[in-house]
Structure formats: structure tokens, C-alpha cells
């Protein structure tokens, strides 16, 4: 009887020590925790500029679907509008217009551009993105299918109503 009572006390004591040590142990942050903290800090300092153009206004400058391509709007918010370009039901590219008022650093990447599309400074970003700076707006086409080439992206940028977009304030 005394032996079994001692075992219960010992078991209870060990359980308390185990719970106490695991509760006090701190988990070392992993790489995902660090990225989460950084992105949270970034978002808190970012905001859309008061005078940024509404996304619904930007929609008017997108090209219509043609030659078997369909344009499907996917996102619209202040300072930004985006559409998918589909062929045979498959997304082959994303089309986007963004107001650089909120992110003035974006416009600086066009300062030394030697390439032009329809008279506007253009840059290639990696192997899948082509964009132009039209006034304060960045017009971007991103390939989502390997068969949608840089030449295709440039052709679709030219289909945007760039001259009227340049007049938008």
C-alpha cells in the first residue's frame, strides 16, 4: 500500500516536472516566422496613395479578347486592375495596369531603358514579364504558358490603349 502510494506521488511529481519544462520551453523561430514578421512590418508601412486611380477606371484601357483569346478580369482595387488572358479555356498570360503613385520606386527601373514598345520605355523582368511605363502607370504582361513568348507579350502591350492611358491623371 505504501509502495503504490509512493509510485503515485512520484508519477504525479514527474508529470508536473514534464509539464513545467515543456511549457517553459521556447520554440526557436524558423525561416517562415522570420518572413511573416518582415512581411507584416512591410504591410503596416504601405498604403495606397489617396490620389491613386480606381481600378474600375483602368479597365477601360485593357485590350478586348480577339483571335481566340478571352480577357477575364480577376482583380480590381484602388491603384490596380488585372485580367487573365485565356485561350481555349487555359490562362496563357496575365495583363495588369498599376498606378505607380503609391510605389514611386517602380518608375525608376525604366530610367535607363533602351527598349521601347509603342514609344514607351519597356523592361523585361526575367523570362516571363514585360512591362512599359505610361505616364504614372505600369502596364505589365506576364506569361503563364511557356508558348506565350516575349514577342507575344509585346504585341499584347501594344493592344492596350496606351495613348489614352497616358492622358489619364
Amino acid at each position: 500500500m505504501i509502495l503504490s502510494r509512493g509510485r503515485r506521488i512520484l508519477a504525479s511529481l514527474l508529470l508536473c516536472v514534464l509539464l513545467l519544462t515543456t511549457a517553459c520551453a521556447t520554440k526557436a523561430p524558423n525561416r517562415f516566422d522570420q518572413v511573416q514578421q518582415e512581411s507584416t512590418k512591410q504591410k503596416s508601412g504601405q498604403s495606397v496613395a489617396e490620389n491613386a486611380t480606381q481600378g474600375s477606371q483602368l479597365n477601360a484601357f485593357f485590350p478586348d479578347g480577339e483571335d481566340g483569346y478571352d480577357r477575364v478580369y480577376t482583380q480590381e482595387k484602388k491603384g490596380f486592375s488585372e485580367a487573365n488572358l485565356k485561350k481555349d479555356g487555359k490562362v496563357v498570360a496575365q495583363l495588369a495596369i498599376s498606378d505607380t503613385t503609391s510605389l514611386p520606386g517602380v518608375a525608376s527601373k525604366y530610367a535607363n531603358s533602351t527598349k521601347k514598345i509603342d514609344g514607351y520605355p519597356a523592361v523585361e523582368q526575367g523570362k516571363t514579364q514585360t512591362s512599359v511605363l505610361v505616364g504614372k502607370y505600369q502596364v505589365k504582361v506576364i506569361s503563364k504558358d511557356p508558348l506565350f513568348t516575349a514577342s507575344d507579350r509585346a504585341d499584347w502591350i501594344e493592344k492596350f490603349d496606351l495613348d489614352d492611358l497616358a492622358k489619364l491623371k
Side-chain angles (χ1 to χ4, degrees):
M1 182 79 122
I2 295 175
L3 189 58
S4 95
R5 185 173 180 194
R7 284 184 183 170
R8 278 192 251 166
I9 292 172
L10 182 60
S12 297
L13 185 61
L14 288 174
L15 184 60
C16 288
V17 169
L18 179 66
L19 289 174
L20 184 63
T21 57
T22 57
C24 292
T26 58
K27 184 177 103 178
N30 63 27
R31 63 187 175 137
F32 301 111
D33 293 333
Q34 181 181 357
V35 170
Q36 179 66 37
Q37 288 174 349
E38 289 172 8
S39 68
T40 303
K41 286 178 188 173
Q42 285 177 347
K43 287 180 184 176
S44 66
Q46 293 177 346
S47 64
V48 178
E50 286 281 328
N51 59 342
T53 306
Q54 289 294 337
S56 58
Q57 285 182 277
L58 299 174
N59 290 345
F61 304 100
F62 278 78
D64 292 327
E66 57 184 47
D67 299 327
Y69 289 94
D70 294 315
R71 179 206 59 217
V72 180
Y73 291 107
T74 56
Q75 188 175 22
E76 176 184 296
K77 59 185 179 181
K78 189 171 187 177
F80 181 77
S81 185
E82 178 183 81
N84 282 337
L85 190 63
K86 292 184 172 188
K87 185 162 189 164
D88 300 325
K90 180 181 177 187
V91 176
V92 294
Q94 279 183 328
L95 314 174
I97 301 175
S98 55
D99 186 333
T100 64
T101 305
S102 301
L103 300 166
V106 170
S108 67
K109 70 182 173 185
Y110 296 93
N112 297 323
S113 173
T114 57
K115 182 178 179 180
K116 292 199 180 289
I117 297 176
D118 208 14
Y120 297 96
V123 294
E124 297 281 332
Q125 295 170 279
K127 295 183 180 193
T128 61
Q129 297 182 36
T130 304
S131 59
V132 294
L133 185 64
V134 180
K136 67 173 190 166
Y137 301 98
Q138 177 177 251
V139 176
K140 185 182 281 192
V141 177
I142 303 169
S143 296
K144 295 297 182 180
D145 183 301
L147 299 177
F148 199 83
T149 65
S151 175
D152 295 325
R153 293 191 304 268
D155 290 345
W156 276 93
I157 286 175
E158 288 178 347
K159 293 178 186 200
F160 280 81
D161 188 356
L162 299 177
D163 292 334
D164 283 340
L165 179 61
K167 296 174 191 171
L168 185 64
K169 300 294 176 203

